[in-house]
Amino acid sequence: MRVLHTSLECYPFAKVGGLGDVVGSLPKYMTDLGCTTDVVIPYFDNKKIDQHESELIYNGSVSLGKYIFDFEIRKLFSSSFGFEVYLVYQKDLLFRPNVYGYEDDTERFIVFQLAVLDWLVNLETKPDIIHCHDHHTGLIPFLVSHVDAFQSLQDIPTVLTIHNAQYQGQFSYDKLDYIPQFDLHNIGLLDWDNCINPLATGIKCAWRVTTVSPNYMQELQHQANGLEGLLSHEKAKCIGILNGIDHDTWNPETDPLIIKNYNTNTIVSGRKANKKWLCKHYNFDIEKPLFAFIGRLVYEKGADLLPDIVAEALQHLDVSILILGSGNTEVELRLQNLKESFPNSYNTYIGYDEKLSHIIYAGADFLLMPSRVEPCGLNQMYALRYGSIPIVRRTGGLKDTVIDIGEDGFGICHNRANIQDVYNSIKRGVEFYNVQKKYRKTQKEIVKIDHSWNNSAKQYIELYKSLKQLQ
Ligand code: ADP
Ligand code: GLC
Protein backbone atom coordinates (compact mmCIF):
# COMPACT_ATOMS: atom_id res chain seq x y z
CA MET A 1 0.00 0.00 0.00
CA ARG A 2 1.24 3.50 -0.86
CA VAL A 3 -0.07 6.55 1.00
CA LEU A 4 0.48 10.17 0.03
CA HIS A 5 0.28 12.80 2.77
CA THR A 6 -0.53 16.29 1.50
CA SER A 7 0.33 18.99 4.00
CA LEU A 8 1.64 22.52 4.37
CA GLU A 9 4.11 21.51 7.08
CA CYS A 10 6.61 18.68 7.46
CA TYR A 11 9.52 18.77 9.89
CA PRO A 12 12.39 19.56 9.28
CA PHE A 13 11.50 21.36 6.04
CA ALA A 14 8.61 23.47 7.26
CA LYS A 15 7.35 23.63 10.82
CA VAL A 16 5.17 26.17 12.55
CA GLY A 17 3.74 23.84 15.18
CA GLY A 18 2.69 20.27 15.82
CA LEU A 19 1.38 19.65 12.29
CA GLY A 20 5.00 19.81 11.11
CA ASP A 21 6.09 17.31 13.75
CA VAL A 22 3.27 14.89 12.90
CA VAL A 23 3.79 14.91 9.14
CA GLY A 24 7.56 14.71 9.66
CA SER A 25 7.35 11.60 11.82
CA LEU A 26 4.20 9.52 11.23
CA PRO A 27 5.29 8.62 7.62
CA LYS A 28 8.58 7.23 8.91
CA TYR A 29 6.81 4.93 11.38
CA MET A 30 4.26 3.86 8.75
CA THR A 31 6.99 3.07 6.23
CA ASP A 32 8.76 1.00 8.92
CA LEU A 33 5.52 -0.94 9.39
CA GLY A 34 5.47 -1.78 5.69
CA CYS A 35 3.08 0.89 4.48
CA THR A 36 5.05 3.01 2.00
CA THR A 37 4.36 6.62 2.76
CA ASP A 38 5.24 9.75 0.79
CA VAL A 39 4.77 13.40 1.68
CA VAL A 40 4.12 16.36 -0.57
CA ILE A 41 4.50 19.95 0.69
CA PRO A 42 5.16 23.31 -0.99
CA TYR A 43 8.75 24.22 -1.85
CA PHE A 44 9.30 27.12 0.56
CA ASP A 45 12.11 29.64 0.32
CA ASN A 46 14.07 28.44 3.34
CA LYS A 47 17.47 26.94 4.15
CA LYS A 48 16.01 23.69 5.50
CA ILE A 49 14.77 22.84 2.02
CA ASP A 50 17.50 24.54 0.02
CA GLN A 51 20.30 22.58 1.65
CA HIS A 52 18.97 19.37 0.07
CA GLU A 53 19.31 18.53 -3.60
CA SER A 54 16.16 17.70 -5.47
CA GLU A 55 15.29 16.32 -8.86
CA LEU A 56 12.66 17.72 -11.24
CA ILE A 57 10.08 15.01 -11.90
CA TYR A 58 7.08 16.86 -13.33
CA ASN A 59 6.24 20.19 -14.97
CA GLY A 60 2.66 21.38 -15.05
CA SER A 61 0.34 24.35 -14.88
CA VAL A 62 -2.95 25.06 -13.15
CA SER A 63 -5.37 27.94 -13.46
CA LEU A 64 -7.05 30.04 -10.81
CA GLY A 65 -9.85 31.75 -12.69
CA LYS A 66 -8.16 33.55 -15.55
CA TYR A 67 -4.62 33.29 -14.14
CA ILE A 68 -2.29 30.46 -15.04
CA PHE A 69 0.42 29.24 -12.69
CA ASP A 70 3.26 27.05 -13.88
CA PHE A 71 4.73 24.72 -11.29
CA GLU A 72 7.26 21.94 -10.83
CA ILE A 73 7.18 18.83 -8.73
CA ARG A 74 10.61 18.11 -7.32
CA LYS A 75 11.66 15.02 -5.39
CA LEU A 76 14.25 15.29 -2.63
CA PHE A 77 17.32 13.14 -3.17
CA SER A 78 18.06 12.24 0.42
CA SER A 79 16.30 9.18 1.72
CA SER A 80 17.59 9.68 5.26
CA PHE A 81 14.18 10.92 6.43
CA GLY A 82 12.64 7.46 6.22
CA PHE A 83 10.11 8.48 3.55
CA GLU A 84 10.06 10.24 0.16
CA VAL A 85 9.48 13.98 0.09
CA TYR A 86 7.97 15.74 -2.92
CA LEU A 87 7.89 19.50 -3.24
CA VAL A 88 5.59 21.73 -5.28
CA TYR A 89 7.71 24.59 -6.58
CA GLN A 90 5.61 27.57 -7.67
CA LYS A 91 7.65 30.73 -7.76
CA ASP A 92 4.94 33.40 -7.30
CA LEU A 93 2.73 31.88 -4.62
CA LEU A 94 4.52 29.08 -2.81
CA PHE A 95 8.23 29.90 -2.91
CA ARG A 96 8.08 32.22 0.12
CA PRO A 97 9.93 32.28 3.44
CA ASN A 98 6.88 31.67 5.64
CA VAL A 99 4.37 28.86 5.60
CA TYR A 100 1.32 30.98 6.46
CA GLY A 101 0.31 34.55 7.09
CA TYR A 102 0.04 36.04 3.60
CA GLU A 103 -2.97 37.95 2.26
CA ASP A 104 -3.22 35.53 -0.63
CA ASP A 105 -3.09 32.36 1.49
CA THR A 106 -6.39 31.18 -0.05
CA GLU A 107 -4.88 31.36 -3.53
CA ARG A 108 -1.66 29.72 -2.30
CA PHE A 109 -3.42 26.76 -0.70
CA ILE A 110 -5.68 26.20 -3.73
CA VAL A 111 -2.79 26.33 -6.19
CA PHE A 112 -0.92 23.82 -4.02
CA GLN A 113 -3.88 21.41 -3.99
CA LEU A 114 -4.55 21.77 -7.72
CA ALA A 115 -0.87 21.24 -8.53
CA VAL A 116 -0.71 18.06 -6.45
CA LEU A 117 -3.78 16.65 -8.18
CA ASP A 118 -2.60 17.66 -11.66
CA TRP A 119 0.62 15.77 -10.96
CA LEU A 120 -1.25 12.70 -9.65
CA VAL A 121 -3.51 12.61 -12.74
CA ASN A 122 -0.39 12.32 -14.86
CA LEU A 123 1.39 9.87 -12.60
CA GLU A 124 1.51 6.29 -13.83
CA THR A 125 1.39 4.60 -10.40
CA LYS A 126 -1.09 6.47 -8.30
CA PRO A 127 -1.20 6.39 -4.48
CA ASP A 128 -3.65 4.00 -2.84
CA ILE A 129 -4.74 6.61 -0.30
CA ILE A 130 -4.54 10.41 -0.22
CA HIS A 131 -4.23 11.67 3.34
CA CYS A 132 -5.00 15.39 3.78
CA HIS A 133 -4.13 17.53 6.79
CA ASP A 134 -6.21 20.49 7.99
CA HIS A 135 -8.12 23.02 5.90
CA HIS A 136 -5.12 23.84 3.70
CA THR A 137 -5.67 20.55 1.89
CA GLY A 138 -9.34 20.13 2.81
CA LEU A 139 -10.61 20.76 -0.72
CA ILE A 140 -8.79 17.71 -2.11
CA PRO A 141 -11.51 15.18 -1.14
CA PHE A 142 -14.04 17.32 -3.05
CA LEU A 143 -11.75 17.96 -6.02
CA VAL A 144 -10.98 14.27 -6.58
CA SER A 145 -14.63 13.23 -6.30
CA HIS A 146 -16.35 15.99 -8.24
CA VAL A 147 -14.03 17.91 -10.57
CA ASP A 148 -14.07 16.70 -14.18
CA ALA A 149 -10.32 17.16 -14.70
CA PHE A 150 -9.51 14.85 -11.77
CA GLN A 151 -11.95 12.08 -12.67
CA SER A 152 -9.16 9.53 -12.95
CA LEU A 153 -8.51 9.94 -9.20
CA GLN A 154 -12.07 9.55 -7.99
CA ASP A 155 -11.68 5.98 -6.74
CA ILE A 156 -8.74 6.82 -4.50
CA PRO A 157 -9.93 6.94 -0.87
CA THR A 158 -9.26 10.20 0.93
CA VAL A 159 -8.64 10.72 4.64
CA LEU A 160 -8.79 14.12 6.32
CA THR A 161 -7.08 14.70 9.65
CA ILE A 162 -8.32 17.68 11.63
CA HIS A 163 -5.42 19.03 13.67
CA ASN A 164 -7.34 22.09 14.73
CA ALA A 165 -10.96 22.89 13.90
CA GLN A 166 -10.51 26.51 15.00
CA TYR A 167 -8.93 27.24 11.62
CA GLN A 168 -11.19 26.50 8.64
CA GLY A 169 -9.85 28.57 5.73
CA GLN A 170 -13.22 30.12 4.72
CA PHE A 171 -13.40 32.34 1.62
CA SER A 172 -16.20 34.02 -0.26
CA TYR A 173 -18.04 32.91 -3.37
CA ASP A 174 -16.23 35.64 -5.41
CA LYS A 175 -13.50 33.06 -5.65
CA LEU A 176 -15.69 30.19 -6.82
CA ASP A 177 -14.00 30.32 -10.21
CA TYR A 178 -10.79 29.08 -8.53
CA ILE A 179 -12.43 25.66 -8.36
CA PRO A 180 -12.10 23.91 -11.73
CA GLN A 181 -15.27 22.85 -13.57
CA PHE A 182 -17.64 20.62 -11.61
CA ASP A 183 -21.33 19.75 -11.66
CA LEU A 184 -22.97 22.74 -9.91
CA HIS A 185 -25.52 20.41 -8.29
CA ASN A 186 -22.68 19.62 -5.88
CA ILE A 187 -21.99 23.21 -4.86
CA GLY A 188 -23.54 22.57 -1.43
CA LEU A 189 -20.56 20.40 -0.58
CA LEU A 190 -18.34 23.49 -0.62
CA ASP A 191 -20.65 25.55 1.51
CA TRP A 192 -20.81 26.33 5.20
CA ASP A 193 -22.54 29.48 6.45
CA ASN A 194 -22.64 31.07 2.99
CA CYS A 195 -18.92 30.75 2.47
CA ILE A 196 -16.71 28.21 0.82
CA ASN A 197 -15.28 26.42 3.84
CA PRO A 198 -12.40 24.03 3.01
CA LEU A 199 -12.45 22.28 6.40
CA ALA A 200 -16.21 21.68 6.22
CA THR A 201 -15.82 20.51 2.61
CA GLY A 202 -13.13 18.06 3.66
CA ILE A 203 -15.32 16.72 6.47
CA LYS A 204 -18.23 16.21 4.06
CA CYS A 205 -16.26 14.64 1.23
CA ALA A 206 -13.38 12.65 2.78
CA TRP A 207 -13.99 8.93 3.07
CA ARG A 208 -12.83 9.06 6.70
CA VAL A 209 -12.14 11.93 9.08
CA THR A 210 -9.71 11.65 11.94
CA THR A 211 -8.76 14.00 14.75
CA VAL A 212 -5.58 13.92 16.72
CA SER A 213 -6.93 12.56 20.02
CA PRO A 214 -10.05 10.60 21.03
CA ASN A 215 -11.16 13.20 23.57
CA TYR A 216 -10.92 16.05 21.04
CA MET A 217 -13.16 14.04 18.71
CA GLN A 218 -15.78 13.95 21.46
CA GLU A 219 -15.38 17.64 22.23
CA LEU A 220 -15.86 18.51 18.57
CA GLN A 221 -19.42 17.18 18.65
CA HIS A 222 -20.28 20.11 20.96
CA GLN A 223 -17.60 22.70 20.29
CA ALA A 224 -16.02 23.03 16.86
CA ASN A 225 -16.06 26.72 16.01
CA GLY A 226 -19.38 26.41 14.18
CA LEU A 227 -18.84 22.93 12.71
CA GLU A 228 -20.24 20.96 15.64
CA GLY A 229 -23.53 20.18 13.81
CA LEU A 230 -21.64 18.89 10.79
CA LEU A 231 -19.29 16.81 12.91
CA SER A 232 -22.08 15.15 14.82
CA HIS A 233 -23.88 14.48 11.55
CA GLU A 234 -20.74 12.86 10.10
CA LYS A 235 -19.92 11.05 13.37
CA ALA A 236 -20.02 7.59 11.81
CA LYS A 237 -16.99 8.23 9.62
CA CYS A 238 -14.98 10.08 12.29
CA ILE A 239 -12.38 8.60 14.61
CA GLY A 240 -9.92 10.07 17.11
CA ILE A 241 -6.41 8.66 16.87
CA LEU A 242 -3.93 9.97 19.42
CA ASN A 243 -0.83 11.61 17.94
CA GLY A 244 2.53 10.10 18.66
CA ILE A 245 5.99 11.60 18.81
CA ASP A 246 9.21 10.75 17.02
CA HIS A 247 11.31 8.86 19.54
CA ASP A 248 14.46 9.27 17.43
CA THR A 249 14.36 13.05 17.08
CA TRP A 250 13.09 13.47 20.63
CA ASN A 251 15.50 11.32 22.59
CA PRO A 252 17.39 12.88 25.51
CA GLU A 253 20.07 10.23 25.15
CA THR A 254 21.05 11.28 21.62
CA ASP A 255 19.46 14.71 21.06
CA PRO A 256 22.24 16.88 19.56
CA LEU A 257 20.39 20.08 20.48
CA ILE A 258 20.57 19.76 24.25
CA ILE A 259 23.48 20.70 26.52
CA LYS A 260 24.03 17.27 28.05
CA ASN A 261 22.52 13.96 27.01
CA TYR A 262 21.08 11.58 29.57
CA ASN A 263 19.16 8.36 30.09
CA THR A 264 17.14 7.00 33.02
CA ASN A 265 20.32 6.29 34.98
CA THR A 266 21.87 9.69 34.41
CA ILE A 267 18.67 11.73 34.37
CA VAL A 268 19.43 13.75 37.51
CA SER A 269 22.87 15.00 36.44
CA GLY A 270 21.84 15.33 32.78
CA ARG A 271 18.79 17.44 33.52
CA LYS A 272 20.76 19.49 36.03
CA ALA A 273 23.30 20.45 33.35
CA ASN A 274 20.51 21.59 31.05
CA LYS A 275 18.80 23.52 33.84
CA LYS A 276 22.14 25.11 34.77
CA TRP A 277 22.57 26.36 31.21
CA LEU A 278 19.06 27.85 31.22
CA CYS A 279 19.57 29.47 34.62
CA LYS A 280 22.90 30.97 33.61
CA HIS A 281 21.54 32.20 30.31
CA TYR A 282 18.38 33.71 31.78
CA ASN A 283 19.73 34.79 35.15
CA PHE A 284 17.76 32.41 37.38
CA ASP A 285 18.60 30.75 40.69
CA ILE A 286 19.16 27.04 39.95
CA GLU A 287 17.75 26.02 43.34
CA LYS A 288 14.26 27.33 42.55
CA PRO A 289 11.82 25.22 40.54
CA LEU A 290 11.74 26.35 36.91
CA PHE A 291 8.37 26.54 35.14
CA ALA A 292 8.33 27.01 31.36
CA PHE A 293 5.91 27.59 28.51
CA ILE A 294 6.66 26.84 24.86
CA GLY A 295 4.19 27.60 22.12
CA ARG A 296 2.27 29.85 19.83
CA LEU A 297 1.13 32.92 21.77
CA VAL A 298 -2.52 32.65 20.78
CA TYR A 299 -5.86 32.60 22.59
CA GLU A 300 -6.30 28.80 22.09
CA LYS A 301 -3.09 28.18 24.04
CA GLY A 302 -4.27 30.45 26.87
CA ALA A 303 -1.33 32.74 26.04
CA ASP A 304 -3.29 35.88 26.98
CA LEU A 305 -3.38 34.54 30.56
CA LEU A 306 0.39 34.19 30.80
CA PRO A 307 1.37 37.76 31.79
CA ASP A 308 -1.03 37.73 34.76
CA ILE A 309 -0.03 34.19 35.69
CA VAL A 310 3.63 35.21 35.72
CA ALA A 311 2.92 38.29 37.86
CA GLU A 312 0.72 36.39 40.31
CA ALA A 313 3.12 33.46 40.67
CA LEU A 314 6.22 35.59 41.09
CA GLN A 315 4.60 37.84 43.68
CA HIS A 316 3.71 34.89 45.89
CA LEU A 317 5.93 31.92 45.09
CA ASP A 318 9.66 31.28 45.03
CA VAL A 319 9.92 30.06 41.42
CA SER A 320 11.44 30.99 38.07
CA ILE A 321 9.43 31.23 34.85
CA LEU A 322 10.67 31.10 31.25
CA ILE A 323 8.47 31.65 28.20
CA LEU A 324 9.38 30.78 24.61
CA GLY A 325 6.92 31.72 21.93
CA SER A 326 5.60 34.18 19.41
CA GLY A 327 2.19 35.22 18.13
CA ASN A 328 -0.21 37.89 19.34
CA THR A 329 1.75 41.17 19.44
CA GLU A 330 -0.04 42.53 22.50
CA VAL A 331 0.78 39.37 24.48
CA GLU A 332 4.38 39.50 23.20
CA LEU A 333 4.71 43.09 24.42
CA ARG A 334 3.22 42.39 27.84
CA LEU A 335 5.55 39.41 28.26
CA GLN A 336 8.57 41.51 27.27
CA ASN A 337 7.62 44.32 29.65
CA LEU A 338 7.35 41.95 32.60
CA LYS A 339 11.09 41.31 32.44
CA GLU A 340 11.75 44.63 34.17
CA SER A 341 9.59 43.72 37.15
CA PHE A 342 11.17 40.31 37.78
CA PRO A 343 14.74 40.45 36.44
CA ASN A 344 16.03 37.41 38.37
CA SER A 345 13.07 35.09 38.19
CA TYR A 346 11.37 35.66 34.84
CA ASN A 347 12.51 35.79 31.25
CA THR A 348 11.11 35.34 27.79
CA TYR A 349 12.40 34.70 24.31
CA ILE A 350 9.93 36.00 21.78
CA GLY A 351 10.51 34.07 18.59
CA TYR A 352 10.91 30.55 17.31
CA ASP A 353 13.95 28.56 18.44
CA GLU A 354 14.01 24.81 17.97
CA LYS A 355 17.26 24.33 19.94
CA LEU A 356 16.07 26.36 22.90
CA SER A 357 12.81 24.40 22.97
CA HIS A 358 14.74 21.12 23.32
CA ILE A 359 16.90 22.54 26.12
CA ILE A 360 13.78 23.70 27.93
CA TYR A 361 12.18 20.24 27.77
CA ALA A 362 15.48 18.87 29.12
CA GLY A 363 16.04 21.48 31.81
CA ALA A 364 12.79 23.01 33.06
CA ASP A 365 11.18 21.26 36.02
CA PHE A 366 7.60 21.89 34.86
CA LEU A 367 5.98 22.66 31.52
CA LEU A 368 2.86 24.83 31.54
CA MET A 369 0.02 24.21 29.07
CA PRO A 370 -2.98 26.33 30.11
CA SER A 371 -4.69 25.69 26.74
CA ARG A 372 -8.30 26.61 26.04
CA VAL A 373 -8.27 24.33 22.99
CA GLU A 374 -5.69 21.58 22.54
CA PRO A 375 -6.65 19.00 19.92
CA CYS A 376 -3.72 16.83 20.96
CA GLY A 377 -0.69 18.79 22.10
CA LEU A 378 2.78 17.40 21.58
CA ASN A 379 4.60 19.56 24.12
CA GLN A 380 3.33 17.52 27.06
CA MET A 381 4.60 14.34 25.39
CA TYR A 382 8.03 15.89 24.75
CA ALA A 383 8.07 17.10 28.36
CA LEU A 384 7.33 13.56 29.59
CA ARG A 385 9.97 12.07 27.32
CA TYR A 386 12.57 14.47 28.76
CA GLY A 387 11.42 14.22 32.38
CA SER A 388 9.74 17.59 32.81
CA ILE A 389 6.39 17.47 34.68
CA PRO A 390 3.46 18.74 32.56
CA ILE A 391 0.95 21.15 34.11
CA VAL A 392 -2.11 21.07 31.90
CA ARG A 393 -5.72 22.09 31.61
CA ARG A 394 -7.96 19.04 31.21
CA THR A 395 -8.92 19.54 27.59
CA GLY A 396 -8.54 17.76 24.24
CA GLY A 397 -5.51 15.52 24.00
CA LEU A 398 -4.13 16.84 27.28
CA LYS A 399 -6.92 14.98 29.04
CA ASP A 400 -5.99 11.79 27.17
CA THR A 401 -2.29 11.97 28.03
CA VAL A 402 -1.79 13.51 31.47
CA ILE A 403 -2.99 12.01 34.76
CA ASP A 404 -2.88 14.11 37.91
CA ILE A 405 -0.50 13.20 40.73
CA GLY A 406 -3.53 13.15 43.02
CA GLU A 407 -4.91 10.25 40.98
CA ASP A 408 -1.75 8.17 41.08
CA GLY A 409 -0.54 9.96 38.00
CA PHE A 410 2.48 12.01 36.99
CA GLY A 411 1.27 15.48 36.03
CA ILE A 412 -0.69 18.39 37.45
CA CYS A 413 -4.13 19.08 36.01
CA HIS A 414 -6.77 21.76 36.41
CA ASN A 415 -10.18 22.28 34.86
CA ARG A 416 -10.49 25.91 33.91
CA ALA A 417 -8.40 28.16 31.71
CA ASN A 418 -8.08 31.00 34.20
CA ILE A 419 -5.38 32.62 36.29
CA GLN A 420 -6.54 31.13 39.59
CA ASP A 421 -6.52 27.52 38.35
CA VAL A 422 -3.10 27.83 36.74
CA TYR A 423 -1.73 29.61 39.83
CA ASN A 424 -3.03 26.79 42.05
CA SER A 425 -1.38 24.23 39.80
CA ILE A 426 1.95 26.07 39.97
CA LYS A 427 1.60 26.12 43.74
CA ARG A 428 0.95 22.38 43.74
CA GLY A 429 4.01 22.04 41.52
CA VAL A 430 6.16 23.82 44.10
CA GLU A 431 4.87 21.54 46.88
CA PHE A 432 5.57 18.50 44.72
CA TYR A 433 9.07 19.76 43.87
CA ASN A 434 9.83 20.23 47.56
CA VAL A 435 9.33 16.51 48.21
CA GLN A 436 12.39 15.72 46.13
CA LYS A 437 12.30 11.95 46.58
CA LYS A 438 8.81 11.62 45.12
CA TYR A 439 9.51 14.23 42.45
CA ARG A 440 12.62 12.40 41.22
CA LYS A 441 10.82 9.05 41.27
CA THR A 442 8.06 10.49 39.07
CA GLN A 443 10.64 12.00 36.70
CA LYS A 444 12.25 8.60 36.24
CA GLU A 445 8.87 7.02 35.55
CA ILE A 446 7.60 9.53 33.02
CA VAL A 447 10.58 9.23 30.71
CA LYS A 448 9.62 5.59 30.21
CA ILE A 449 6.08 6.31 28.98
CA ASP A 450 5.86 5.26 25.33
CA HIS A 451 4.16 7.94 23.27
CA SER A 452 5.99 6.99 20.08
CA TRP A 453 3.99 6.53 16.90
CA ASN A 454 4.15 2.72 17.13
CA ASN A 455 0.57 2.27 18.32
CA SER A 456 -1.13 5.06 16.45
CA ALA A 457 0.63 4.33 13.15
CA LYS A 458 -0.92 0.84 13.34
CA GLN A 459 -4.35 2.38 13.82
CA TYR A 460 -3.90 4.52 10.71
CA ILE A 461 -2.82 1.49 8.71
CA GLU A 462 -5.93 -0.42 9.86
CA LEU A 463 -8.04 2.52 8.79
CA TYR A 464 -6.42 2.63 5.33
CA LYS A 465 -6.94 -1.12 4.93
CA SER A 466 -10.62 -0.79 5.77
CA LEU A 467 -10.93 1.86 3.04
CA LYS A 468 -9.23 -0.28 0.43
CA GLN A 469 -11.87 -2.94 1.15
CA LEU A 470 -14.61 -0.43 0.39
CA GLN A 471 -13.20 0.41 -3.03
P1 ADP B 1 0.47 23.48 18.03
O1 ADP B 1 0.63 22.63 16.85
O2 ADP B 1 -0.95 23.82 18.34
O3 ADP B 1 1.31 24.71 17.98
P2 ADP B 1 1.69 21.26 19.54
O4 ADP B 1 1.84 21.05 21.01
O5 ADP B 1 1.05 20.18 18.78
O6 ADP B 1 0.96 22.68 19.34
O7 ADP B 1 3.11 21.43 18.87
C1 ADP B 1 3.93 22.52 19.04
C2 ADP B 1 5.29 22.22 18.45
O8 ADP B 1 5.90 23.44 18.09
C3 ADP B 1 6.23 21.55 19.42
O9 ADP B 1 7.21 20.83 18.69
C4 ADP B 1 6.88 22.74 20.13
O10 ADP B 1 8.10 22.42 20.72
C5 ADP B 1 7.05 23.67 18.94
N1 ADP B 1 7.10 25.10 19.22
C6 ADP B 1 6.05 25.93 19.43
N2 ADP B 1 6.47 27.18 19.60
C7 ADP B 1 7.81 27.15 19.50
C8 ADP B 1 8.83 28.14 19.58
N3 ADP B 1 8.54 29.42 19.81
N4 ADP B 1 10.11 27.76 19.40
C9 ADP B 1 10.41 26.45 19.18
N5 ADP B 1 9.50 25.48 19.10
C10 ADP B 1 8.22 25.82 19.25
C1 GLC C 1 -2.60 21.39 16.06
C2 GLC C 1 -3.12 21.38 17.47
C3 GLC C 1 -2.26 20.60 18.44
C4 GLC C 1 -1.83 19.28 17.83
C5 GLC C 1 -1.14 19.54 16.50
C6 GLC C 1 -0.64 18.28 15.82
O1 GLC C 1 -1.76 22.43 15.78
O2 GLC C 1 -3.31 22.70 17.97
O3 GLC C 1 -2.97 20.37 19.64
O4 GLC C 1 -0.95 18.60 18.70
O5 GLC C 1 -2.03 20.17 15.62
O6 GLC C 1 -1.69 17.40 15.54
Side-chain angles (χ1 to χ4, degrees):
M1 185 160 30
R2 193 162 202 119
V3 179
L4 178 68
H5 286 262
T6 61
S7 168
L8 261 282
E9 297 181 40
C10 175
Y11 179 82
F13 314 107
K15 167 173 165 181
V16 176
L19 172 61
D21 287 350
V22 168
V23 179
S25 54
L26 171 62
K28 191 171 79 179
Y29 280 78
M30 302 226 293
T31 302
D32 281 352
L33 289 168
C35 171
T36 312
T37 307
D38 304 326
V39 173
V40 58
I41 58 167
Y43 194 129
F44 295 104
D45 181 9
N46 71 29
K47 279 200 207 116
K48 293 274 162 56
I49 294 182
D50 246 15
Q51 73 194 31
H52 298 284
E53 285 194 41
S54 60
E55 164 194 16
L56 173 67
I57 58 161
Y58 180 73
N59 259 315
S61 64
V62 292
S63 25
L64 273 195
K66 56 181 193 273
Y67 301 102
I68 294 179
F69 293 91
D70 294 330
F71 69 89
E72 295 175 2
I73 301 284
R74 305 192 68 89
K75 182 179 175 193
L76 279 191
F77 270 132
S78 176
S79 58
S80 61
F81 313 109
F83 53 92
E84 300 292 358
V85 180
Y86 295 89
L87 302 159
V88 179
Y89 176 81
Q90 203 301 311
K91 73 173 172 12
D92 304 308
L93 292 178
L94 300 178
F95 189 63
R96 305 229 182 126
N98 296 329
V99 177
Y100 317 109
Y102 298 100
E103 269 181 14
D104 54 357
D105 273 354
T106 298
E107 286 74 9
R108 298 174 64 235
F109 303 155
I110 297 180
V111 159
F112 172 66
Q113 296 174 82
L114 295 177
V116 170
L117 297 183
D118 179 69
W119 165 53
L120 294 185
V121 164
N122 289 287
L123 199 65
E124 208 172 303
T125 316
K126 309 213 187 310
D128 295 299
I129 306 276
I130 303 175
H131 192 143
C132 311
H133 295 269
D134 274 348
H135 72 83
H136 330 109
T137 56
L139 291 174
I140 287 180
F142 172 85
L143 297 169
V144 299
S145 330
H146 300 289
V147 162
D148 302 345
F150 304 130
Q151 223 177 11
S152 61
L153 306 174
Q154 68 184 4
D155 290 333
I156 304 180
T158 50
V159 176
L160 171 74
T161 295
I162 305 173
H163 293 263
N164 201 328
Q166 296 300 108
Y167 310 106
Q168 302 173 3
Q170 301 93 327
F171 56 94
S172 79
Y173 277 97
D174 310 350
K175 297 183 177 177
L176 180 62
D177 66 343
Y178 289 175
I179 313 287
Q181 194 179 324
F182 65 97
D183 180 348
L184 280 174
H185 284 108
N186 294 316
I187 197 164
L189 293 170
L190 295 172
D191 187 87
W192 196 257
D193 260 354
N194 298 321
C195 285
I196 299 179
N197 181 316
L199 190 69
T201 303
I203 295 168
K204 293 179 201 176
C205 299
W207 291 35
R208 292 300 293 271
V209 175
T210 73
T211 60
V212 289
S213 71
N215 185 48
Y216 185 56
M217 182 54 93
Q218 284 188 359
E219 288 177 0
L220 284 179
Q221 315 287 317
H222 315 287
Q223 210 184 354
N225 201 10
L227 297 186
E228 38 293 291
L230 175 61
L231 280 152
S232 23
H233 182 256
E234 298 286 1
K235 202 158 124 193
K237 69 173 183 192
C238 296
I239 176 174
I241 301 180
L242 188 68
N243 277 340
I245 58 171
D246 185 341
H247 266 200
D248 300 328
T249 305
W250 297 90
N251 181 354
E253 205 166 354
T254 52
D255 188 339
L257 299 180
I258 62 178
I259 303 302
K260 189 173 176 193
N261 293 112
Y262 55 92
N263 58 29
T264 16
N265 297 324
T266 53
I267 184 168
V268 176
S269 60
R271 286 184 53 80
K272 191 165 180 191
N274 285 284
K275 182 172 177 184
K276 196 168 164 194
W277 185 92
L278 289 170
C279 290
K280 193 158 170 232
H281 209 77
Y282 291 104
N283 206 21
F284 299 147
D285 176 353
I286 194 163
E287 296 307 322
K288 294 184 190 174
L290 173 58
F291 293 75
F293 171 95
I294 301 171
R296 296 179 294 116
L297 299 175
V298 296
Y299 180 81
E300 289 84 43
K301 298 282 176 195
D304 52 303
L305 302 172
L306 289 172
D308 290 331
I309 291 169
V310 170
E312 185 74 8
L314 294 179
Q315 271 159 30
H316 300 102
L317 303 168
D318 214 10
V319 301
S320 311
I321 302 183
L322 176 60
I323 291 178
L324 164 62
S326 63
N328 179 295
T329 36
E330 197 194 315
V331 175
E332 288 182 355
L333 196 68
R334 288 182 66 201
L335 289 172
Q336 289 280 25
N337 289 342
L338 270 174
K339 285 203 240 181
E340 269 177 39
S341 315
F342 306 102
N344 303 318
S345 49
Y346 164 72
N347 220 316
T348 183
Y349 177 87
I350 299 296
Y352 186 92
D353 190 329
E354 191 77 24
K355 182 176 167 68
L356 178 58
S357 74
H358 284 237
I359 302 173
I360 294 176
Y361 293 120
D365 301 296
F366 297 90
L367 188 86
L368 295 167
M369 297 186 76
S371 307
R372 290 197 174 81
V373 181
E374 196 62 82
C376 179
L378 300 177
N379 296 14
Q380 78 280 16
M381 302 198 216
Y382 297 142
L384 293 169
R385 176 99 170 123
Y386 282 68
S388 172
I389 308 282
I391 297 189
V392 307
R393 171 164 175 253
R394 286 190 184 91
T395 185
L398 298 175
K399 200 169 166 189
D400 284 330
T401 50
V402 182
I403 305 170
D404 192 89
I405 43 173
E407 295 157 15
D408 270 347
F410 45 80
I412 296 178
C413 307
H414 51 262
N415 290 328
R416 295 168 308 171
N418 63 23
I419 296 153
Q420 193 56 46
D421 269 30
V422 183
Y423 174 81
N424 286 341
S425 285
I426 296 178
K427 199 160 163 245
R428 286 182 69 210
V430 177
E431 286 156 12
F432 186 49
Y433 182 84
N434 286 340
V435 189
Q436 278 282 309
K437 208 170 153 203
K438 196 164 167 217
Y439 173 78
R440 296 252 180 265
K441 187 167 169 268
T442 307
Q443 259 186 342
K444 285 197 171 176
E445 279 162 9
I446 59 179
V447 293
K448 292 188 207 138
I449 299 175
D450 183 2
H451 274 301
S452 76
W453 274 108
N454 280 330
N455 272 334
S456 301
K458 284 183 196 145
Q459 287 187 55
Y460 276 112
I461 292 174
E462 284 312 309
L463 185 142
Y464 299 149
K465 281 188 186 155
S466 69
L467 293 179
K468 290 303 289 174
Q469 280 161 11
L470 291 180
Q471 255 181 328

